[in-house]
Amino acid sequence: ASAGWAVVAGDLVTVEASQLTETTGENTSMVVPGSEMCTLRITDLATGEEAEEPLDLDCSMVRGLQASPDGSQAAVAYESSRSSRTLDLPEVRLAVIDLPDGAVRQDQLLGHNIDCRAGGCSPDAQPVDYRGMAWDDASTLRVAMVDLAARFGDLIVQTVTVG
């Protein structure tokens, strides 16, 4: 496993999600699709200490990761490894994790990873495609998604209060 991408919070903490890579040539490799492991690798830049924390979530793939402005938390957008309890649809969820111990502070449904633009979806489905997130401050996140029920895939920006 190798670090796939990193987010730096302030100047104190680096947070990474792990990804598997495979060799594609003599000096090249690629990320194995769907291999984004549900593990955080946390590095304290002041001390150099590293910790790897598996996420205590029902997670099959990390879709996004963003450290809070003060480095005390990380927001993790992920696909759940189980379908919604009421629908047979894959869930896209948002969790807020305390750093460095990895304790789950908050976990909520963002929507379902299914495209309904051609029709045929349950009226209870919330079809979205996660695109990104940003912290406004230590207690507010903005999450960008595409509405996969809208004909032209409208952009949704959802504000999430942490706490």
Side-chain angles (χ1 to χ4, degrees), residues 75-110:
V76 181
Y78 70 98
E79 288 185 22
S80 177
S81 57
R82 62 172 164 68
S83 294
S84 171
R85 290 190 177 109
T86 58
L87 305 168
D88 190 23
L89 299 171
E91 293 182 342
V92 178
R93 301 186 66 85
L94 175 70
V96 177
I97 310 298
D98 285 335
L99 298 176
D101 66 1
V104 178
R105 180 176 200 169
Q106 184 171 327
D107 185 15
Q108 69 184 66
L109 178 70
L110 292 175

Side-chain angles (χ1 to χ4, degrees), residues 63 77-79 89-94 108-117 121 124-132 143-150 153-158:
R63 298 282 310 271
Y78 70 98
E79 288 185 22
L89 299 171
E91 293 182 342
V92 178
R93 301 186 66 85
L94 175 70
Q108 69 184 66
L109 178 70
L110 292 175
H112 300 100
N113 188 18
I114 186 168
D115 193 339
C116 293
R117 288 176 284 200
C121 285
D124 295 326
Q126 300 170 356
V128 297
D129 182 23
Y130 168 84
R131 293 303 173 113
V143 181
M145 299 171 284
V146 172
D147 180 354
L148 295 179
D154 297 337
L155 182 65
I156 304 167
V157 177
Q158 180 178 343

Side-chain angles (χ1 to χ4, degrees), residues 7 12-18 39-45 47-55 65 71-74 97-103:
V7 178
L12 302 177
V13 179
T14 299
V15 182
E16 301 171 306
S18 297
T39 300
L40 295 182
R41 185 174 304 137
I42 305 159
T43 305
D44 183 326
L45 298 178
T47 66
E49 282 187 46
E50 292 185 3
E52 195 164 78
E53 295 289 336
L55 294 172
L65 174 66
S72 67
Q73 303 171 86
I97 310 298
D98 285 335
L99 298 176
D101 66 1

Side-chain angles (χ1 to χ4, degrees), residues 10-78:
D11 293 323
L12 302 177
V13 179
T14 299
V15 182
E16 301 171 306
S18 297
Q19 295 176 329
L20 296 177
T21 58
E22 63 184 23
T23 303
T24 56
E26 187 174 315
N27 295 316
T28 61
S29 64
M30 65 177 264
V31 174
V32 176
S35 72
E36 294 81 354
M37 292 185 259
C38 299
T39 300
L40 295 182
R41 185 174 304 137
I42 305 159
T43 305
D44 183 326
L45 298 178
T47 66
E49 282 187 46
E50 292 185 3
E52 195 164 78
E53 295 289 336
L55 294 172
D56 189 18
L57 301 166
D58 190 16
C59 176
S60 64
M61 182 174 72
V62 173
R63 298 282 310 271
L65 174 66
Q66 184 72 43
S68 65
D70 66 0
S72 67
Q73 303 171 86
V76 181
Y78 70 98

Side-chain angles (χ1 to χ4, degrees), residues 122-140:
S122 163
D124 295 326
Q126 300 170 356
V128 297
D129 182 23
Y130 168 84
R131 293 303 173 113
M133 70 180 124
W135 289 85
D136 281 337
D137 53 43
S139 63
T140 310

